[in-house]
Each structure stands twice: as C-alpha cells, then as structure tokens.
Amino acid sequence: MTDDRDADLTWQTTNSEIDYTCPGFDVRRDEVVLPDGTETDFHYVEEPPAVVVLPFTPDGDVVLIDEWRQAVDRVNHALPAGSTEPDDEDLAAVAARELAEETGYEADSFSHLFTIEPSNGLLNSVHHYVLARGCEPTAEQDLDFNESIRVAVTDYDDLLQAVLDGEVRDGRTVVGVTRYELADRWQRLGARTEAGDEGL
C-alpha cells in the first residue's frame, strides 16, 4: 500500500512473472516504470512469511540451535525459526510447531514481540518474532531431510554478550536479542520513572 505523499517515489508495476522457482523461495521479475518514466525490470526473492522464536526455559536460559548453513559454509548459532504454510493463520501455532520440530521443546505460552522486513531491497520476506516462555524438552525433534541441527541451551546474559561481541552473526538472532533487550530496558525504565526514580 502506497501513501499519497509518496507518489513521487512510487514505481508502477506493468507485469510480474516468476523467473525461477525452487523449494523455499521463488525469484520474481517485475517490469516497472520509474517515477521519471524509465522502463526497466527488477528481480527479487519471494518467500513465505517466517516466525522467529525467542524461547526461554523456566530458569531463564534460551533454547538455541546450532545449524549448518551452506551459503556461509559454517555452523550458525541461532534462534529457532521457520516458514509459515499457506493455511497458517495463528502465529503462536506456527511458533509452537517450529520450536518443537527444530528443538524438541514445548512452551507454556507465546506472545508476539514485533514484525520486521529484514532485507526489503532484495526480498519480500516478513519475519514475525514470538516470545516463548516456560520451554521444556517434552517433544521430539522432527527435522526436514536437509536440516542439520543440534540444540544448544544458553544463559541469556551469555547470549546477549555474544551478540554484542559479534560472536553471533545470524541476523535474525541479533535483531531478536537486541530488540528484546531494548524493550525490556525501556519497560524497566518506564517502571522506575513512574516510581519517581529517574536513574538507570
């Protein structure tokens, strides 16, 4: 949806086709007219929305996964995540499914944290972040044939420090942890302000 105030920046799409398809995503080509009248085309990756889970155990640790990532040729230390299916309507149900399938953990509760477009210059991806509380290893992992995953339970402060030190490079995890930390800090600051304490 385009705001009327952005009319001078808006591209007009005259045609759109899938140039390449594979399991997980498509590459779409749009024929467009730029604001100055130039006609050109634009390719981007099209994929289903995804859910990223920030799962806490009752002790406050975080359930992570170590997963081989072929594109960067190394093991990735990250939050569990997965794509939605066409008939998925409930983000909490998707989060529960992906958490159980990737880690074997189940949660007492789920709540939506935030939604972002992680790289909207190249992808139409949408990532919904969900907070999971009370996670326990009460399910069985059910990995896809091409998923190489090991579960890793980590102290939250250690994870935060690893993110700040650049040891964790997974973008979804960096965004999730730092956004959660900022929201938690902001909430605590608000509570102190209401109590008349302006100190941090």
Side-chain angles (χ1 to χ4, degrees):
M1 185 171 67
T2 303
D3 192 305
D4 289 341
R5 294 171 298 179
D6 296 334
D8 61 327
L9 301 176
T10 303
W11 297 6
Q12 300 299 321
T13 303
T14 58
N15 191 43
S16 184
E17 296 180 354
I18 300 295
D19 268 2
Y20 174 78
T21 188
C22 68
F25 66 89
D26 298 324
V27 176
R28 179 173 289 279
R29 177 176 54 83
D30 288 349
E31 295 177 11
V32 300
V33 180
L34 306 184
D36 66 358
T38 301
E39 296 182 6
T40 186
D41 56 18
F42 182 80
H43 289 79
Y44 59 94
V45 174
E46 186 174 76
E47 63 178 9
V51 168
V52 184
V53 186
L54 178 55
F56 283 95
T57 69
D59 294 330
D61 295 328
V62 183
V63 183
L64 300 173
I65 58 173
D66 292 331
E67 181 175 13
W68 178 258
R69 290 301 194 186
Q70 182 65 21
V72 291
D73 196 36
R74 59 178 166 76
V75 171
N76 196 47
H77 199 52
L79 297 174
S83 298
T84 61
E85 301 294 339
D87 58 348
D88 284 331
E89 297 181 359
D90 182 3
L91 291 179
V94 178
R97 181 184 70 217
E98 296 301 326
L99 179 64
E101 288 180 355
E102 292 194 352
T103 70
Y105 276 71
E106 295 178 304
D108 287 338
S109 66
F110 295 92
S111 57
H112 180 257
L113 286 173
F114 58 92
T115 296
I116 63 167
E117 298 168 355
S119 186
N120 57 19
L122 299 172
L123 322 168
N124 72 349
S125 305
V126 175
H127 291 173
H128 302 286
Y129 282 76
V130 174
L131 176 66
R133 295 282 192 189
C135 297
E136 300 272 13
T138 52
E140 293 290 333
Q141 271 185 309
D142 184 18
L143 302 177
D144 292 338
F145 78 97
N146 60 351
E147 288 182 313
S148 301
I149 288 176
R150 177 179 61 235
V151 180
V153 178
T154 303
D155 177 82
Y156 173 75
D157 288 337
D158 290 345
L159 173 60
L160 176 61
Q161 192 61 55
V163 166
L164 296 177
D165 290 345
E167 295 171 12
V168 173
R169 299 179 63 182
D170 177 74
R172 291 185 296 197
T173 303
V174 171
V175 169
V177 171
T178 53
R179 177 74 178 266
Y180 173 80
E181 180 67 18
L182 284 170
D184 183 62
R185 182 179 294 266
W186 184 261
Q187 194 172 39
R188 285 185 277 120
L189 176 61
R192 290 177 181 177
T193 302
E194 287 179 7
D197 180 3
E198 297 181 359
L200 290 179

